[in-house]
Amino acid sequence: MSIIDMTIKETIDLLRRRETSSRELTELALERIRQENSRINAFITVCADVALSQAEAADKRLGTEDRISPLCGIPMGIKDNLCTRGVRTTCASKMLEQFIPPYDATAVERLLSSGSVLLGKLNMDEFGMGSSSENSIFGSVRNPWDTERVAGGSSGGSAAAVASGLCSFALGSDTGGSIRQPASFCGVVGLKPTYGLVSRYGMAAFASSMDQIGPITRDVTDCALVLNGIAGHDPRDSTTVRGIGEDYSHGLEQDELQIRVGLPKEYFGSGLDEDVKNAVYKAVSMLEEAGAVLGESSLPTTDYAVEAHFIISSSEASSNLARYDGIRYGYQNANAKNLEELYRLSRGDGFGSGVKRRILLGTHILSAGYRDQLYIKALRARKMITDDFMKNFESFDLIATPVYPETAFRLGEKSGNPLEMYLGDIYTVGANLAGLPALVVPCGLDRKGLPIGIQLVGKPFSEKLLLRAGYAIEQRVGRLKPKTKCQG
Ligand code: GLN
């Protein structure tokens, strides 16, 4: 196995013993990207010069500093909706195709100051809208397990890059499942943190009340290490909380899980693929083996979750994306004869059809006469959904569910049917509506040899417990390897 395929934890030991260097790791990653990216299409931008100079700086720190972050010298990829100073940040949109941010997102800034090395920016659905990473002006991301299939979305580039060894870890963002679903499709670990745990400063906003940045990694320990690197209060994002300051990597190995795990019956009903259902049940029985007590639970408002999510997220998107007016940011149509035409032509050309659909939907929802019928009602549903989850947490420490009704689907299979695509988000949107942490851990393969993940959802700020439970599953499942062709 190449060192670029190792976990962060394994790599740290080699770096500390000076058996490899960040420069060597970075060169290997860049070489792998040169070989594989045309097949996977995970990276939009590769910043080799930036990476190599950061790697050299990291090697100096590794040679001189004692108390050094475990992320020092580790090569990473960043979803292309997180600002990186001096490195193009496109949101996979024509609107921002040439945008070079003058600042770093807080999460990125923290990783860079830990000494992580920025290899480049990862492909995604335009502005985070989608579940397949097919809505990108840079072309679709392909699943490394089967390149005829999608990698999931919207953080498909992040999950595919980690799964195929193009980087050691990645950051994604999750507004309705965009970290978790691609992690599940690509057989890697993904965490959507509690709303407010990680600063959103410098993330191109989609739906501000639900957006969260989180890690995509090869295993649970790495997920904890990256979360340590990005979590915490930020004066530039007033929704971040103070005083959590936990070491998420500490105590993961304690295998005695004295916890109660709920299985919401609405999440295991019709529409769920048999292989996915069986793999999730099997993973749950592993929790039981580690000491957990299982019970059936109920989330009766599940039926409203997708509608509420799309109404609220589209409303927020219509407002957030109003800033792309062809003047202050991004693409400007050169043929406009007056101000109105400038808006119309710039936004008309600059946004893809999926983004325009949401802006139109959101604008309609918020307009006089519809606001009460749609937006306010969705907010009420959101409150009921949140109450449902919190009620579950009176009897259970966490809830275990599938991530998506099926494994990775074929490229093009759903792109003509946005409604079907939206409905697939049924198991993931609840955590965003309620602001809860949700971890995805690989738990098996289906008959086609494609990876399946299990989702663990907990109370606000229970990331540590989720990671411990995820670790217990991971120890029993072992590392997933492709059965057929392909790559790991
Ligand atoms: N798939 C969902 C959507 O299309 C969620 C996307 C996300 O989490 N960014 O809106």
Side-chain angles (χ1 to χ4, degrees), residues 79 125 127-132 153-155 173-180 203 206 211 309-310 313 358 421-422 425 428-429 432:
K79 185 174 181 180
D125 285 303
F127 284 100
M129 298 174 185
S131 308
S132 64
S154 63
S155 313
S173 69
D174 190 313
T175 307
S178 278
I179 288 176
R180 291 162 283 158
M203 168 181 171
F206 166 8
D211 296 337
H309 180 265
F310 277 88
S313 65
R358 310 241 191 165
M421 193 89 95
Y422 298 167
D425 295 336
T428 48
V429 292
N432 302 78

Side-chain angles (χ1 to χ4, degrees), residues 206-228:
F206 166 8
S208 315
S209 76
M210 294 184 280
D211 296 337
Q212 268 295 286
I213 298 169
I216 296 187
T217 57
R218 300 227 169 87
D219 72 2
V220 172
T221 307
D222 285 6
C223 181
L225 293 172
V226 178
L227 186 61
N228 281 345

Side-chain angles (χ1 to χ4, degrees), residues 118-145:
L118 177 65
L119 294 168
K121 305 301 293 292
L122 294 162
N123 207 350
M124 54 183 281
D125 285 303
E126 187 177 359
F127 284 100
M129 298 174 185
S131 308
S132 64
S133 299
E134 296 174 291
N135 311 315
S136 161
I137 51 154
F138 301 97
S140 306
V141 181
R142 289 168 177 268
N143 192 314
W145 289 74

